[in-house]
Amino acid sequence: MMKSENTFGLESESQPTRLSKGQSKSKIKFVRIGRQSTLSDLANVKLGTYIKSDSDLKGKVLQIDIVEIRHERHYYYRLEKGAGTILIIR
């Protein structure tokens, strides 16, 4: 299921993945998050969720940090195996 690039939120996209030992041939569902995601969308991301950002950075979430600075919330999603960190400021 592919959605247009200008929509955000908890969209799911299927991506083929490399199979490791014991995995099935099913596709992993990625949740798309970005600047236009609502606070509830960002709060629904849990550890182990596969996410994809506006800039096509994607991976499995290993750590989530939420930092409140003045009137902003910074959502840091640390991804697996050096894939990086996705930062969303709301």
Side-chain angles (χ1 to χ4, degrees):
M1 173 167 101
M2 192 63 100
K3 298 239 178 175
S4 65
E5 287 295 316
N6 60 359
T7 59
F8 303 98
L10 289 178
E11 304 169 14
S12 295
E13 296 181 5
S14 296
Q15 297 286 330
T17 59
R18 287 181 251 157
L19 297 177
S20 61
K21 195 173 189 178
Q23 271 189 328
S24 67
K25 293 184 179 182
S26 64
K27 295 183 179 183
I28 293 176
K29 301 271 185 184
F30 283 87
V31 175
R32 185 180 266 301
I33 61 170
R35 287 183 284 166
Q36 302 300 322
S37 298
T38 64
L39 292 176
S40 63
D41 291 341
L42 297 173
N44 286 334
V45 175
K46 304 292 182 205
L47 296 179
T49 303
Y50 287 89
I51 61 174
K52 184 175 182 180
S53 71
D54 297 345
S55 59
D56 289 334
L57 186 63
K58 60 185 174 182
K60 183 178 179 181
V61 177
L62 294 182
Q63 181 179 352
I64 300 172
D65 293 316
I66 302 171
V67 180
E68 292 190 20
I69 301 174
R70 294 187 182 101
H71 64 282
E72 296 178 338
R73 273 194 186 155
H74 296 206
Y75 291 83
Y76 294 90
Y77 300 102
R78 186 167 193 192
L79 305 178
E80 66 182 341
K81 296 183 184 176
T85 300
I86 298 174
L87 167 63
I88 306 291
I89 300 174
R90 296 289 306 185

